[in-house]
Amino acid sequence: MNPLLISLAAAALMVLGAWLGTVLRRSLPRQHLDDQSKDVVRLGSGLIATVTALVLGLLITSAKGTYETQRSEIKTIAAKLVLLDELLKRYGPEARAAREMQRVAMGPMIDRIWGQRAISPPTGGAPYQPSLEGEKVYEAVEALAPQTDVQRSLKFRALAIVASITEARVLLFEESEAGLPTAILVIVVFWLTILFAGYTLFTAVNPTSGVILAVIALSASGAIFLILELNDPFGGLMQISPDPLRNALGVLSS
């Protein structure tokens, strides 16, 4: 889903709701637009506005929390990669091949997250599978034959770090699949459209009020845009920076 197009479509639906309110005001009999009807619409609009504000606030908070969690996980992966390289360096020359495989695996991992193979639900519905490069790194570390207690300890810690990196990548994959349920988006836009229809049901729209309604619609759709952008942390205008992993790759290559 393109967040910008969806938010603009939501704004257009809100403006359409305002237009429908104007049409109803001109079409309904006068007795349907009396003070009692106005009170009912006012009370109903207040309830819908309150519920909509609560839902939008919760959605923004939830999306922001997920965004920050994934950004933290990227930094954690970068730190663990540097630590893994340091452990293999201390292990000795025997771990040189594993270190080289780790450097080679970094590029495909970055491409898989941010590039053409960015994190997304698999087309075939298959569960997440570790990359071939990552498996080779694990196999290379596992194949090490320690000769001393220090090397055995370093190998054990290196295997634990490789496993934790894989776990962090699985978490990124699972969190990226969550997104914003379409039903919630449709219901929120419906509520906003009803609100805009209520705004113009009892009040004539002049150029000034029309512009104000358009600005309000854009503001409300801006909240939807933020939610959709935060739910797509590896793409769009607010994507998480790959700099931590690139910086780690620079350390590994030094």
Side-chain angles (χ1 to χ4, degrees):
M1 296 189 298
N2 188 310
L4 181 59
L5 292 179
I6 292 176
S7 58
L8 289 176
L13 287 174
M14 293 177 220
V15 174
L16 177 62
W19 177 78
L20 289 176
T22 301
V23 172
L24 288 174
R25 181 174 53 82
R26 295 173 179 174
S27 304
L28 290 174
R30 300 297 299 176
Q31 63 268 24
H32 290 182
L33 301 174
D34 55 14
D35 291 339
Q36 288 79 9
S37 299
K38 185 181 297 186
D39 290 339
V40 171
V41 171
R42 184 184 300 111
L43 292 172
S45 297
L47 175 61
I48 294 176
T50 301
V51 173
T52 303
L54 287 173
V55 171
L56 286 176
L58 289 174
L59 289 175
I60 291 177
T61 301
S62 175
K64 184 64 164 59
T66 302
Y67 179 90
E68 291 297 337
T69 298
Q70 291 179 303
R71 183 164 63 176
S72 176
E73 287 169 352
I74 289 295
K75 294 179 181 179
T76 299
I77 290 175
K80 288 182 177 180
L81 288 170
V82 174
L83 177 58
L84 175 62
D85 185 71
E86 183 63 27
L87 291 175
L88 294 176
K89 184 189 299 184
R90 292 176 57 190
Y91 186 93
E94 302 92 331
R96 185 175 302 166
R99 294 179 62 200
E100 182 60 31
M101 289 180 184
Q102 181 61 67
R103 282 192 289 269
V104 172
M106 285 285 292
M109 181 173 67
I110 294 174
D111 290 339
R112 191 175 186 184
I113 297 176
W114 282 275
Q116 294 297 323
R117 295 186 295 161
I119 292 178
S120 60
T123 55
Y128 170 81
Q129 296 292 335
S131 64
L132 179 61
E133 297 84 359
E135 291 181 348
K136 287 182 177 180
V137 173
Y138 188 89
E139 292 172 357
V141 175
E142 193 175 33
L144 294 174
Q147 302 299 317
T148 66
D149 290 340
V150 173
Q151 287 186 333
R152 275 189 287 271
S153 176
L154 291 172
K155 176 183 176 179
F156 177 79
R157 293 176 61 189
L159 287 173
I161 291 175
V162 174
S164 66
I165 291 173
T166 302
E167 180 182 2
R169 292 183 61 189
V170 172
L171 287 174
L172 282 177
F173 176 82
E174 294 296 336
E175 289 166 356
S176 68
E177 278 195 309
L180 176 65
T182 303
I184 293 180
L185 177 62
V186 171
I187 291 173
V188 169
V189 173
F190 174 74
W191 287 342
L192 290 170
T193 303
I194 294 299
L195 281 177
F196 274 74
Y199 293 156
T200 58
L201 184 59
F202 296 97
T203 305
V205 178
N206 55 41
T208 300
S209 59
V211 171
I212 292 175
L213 284 174
V215 172
I216 296 173
L218 289 174
S219 300
S221 66
I224 296 175
F225 175 78
L226 285 177
I227 294 169
L228 294 174
E229 278 287 322
L230 290 172
N231 276 287
D232 184 22
F234 298 103
L237 300 177
M238 300 175 63
Q239 67 174 321
I240 296 173
S241 173
D243 287 344
L245 291 180
R246 289 175 178 168
N247 295 335
L249 179 58
V251 174
L252 268 60
S253 301
S254 60

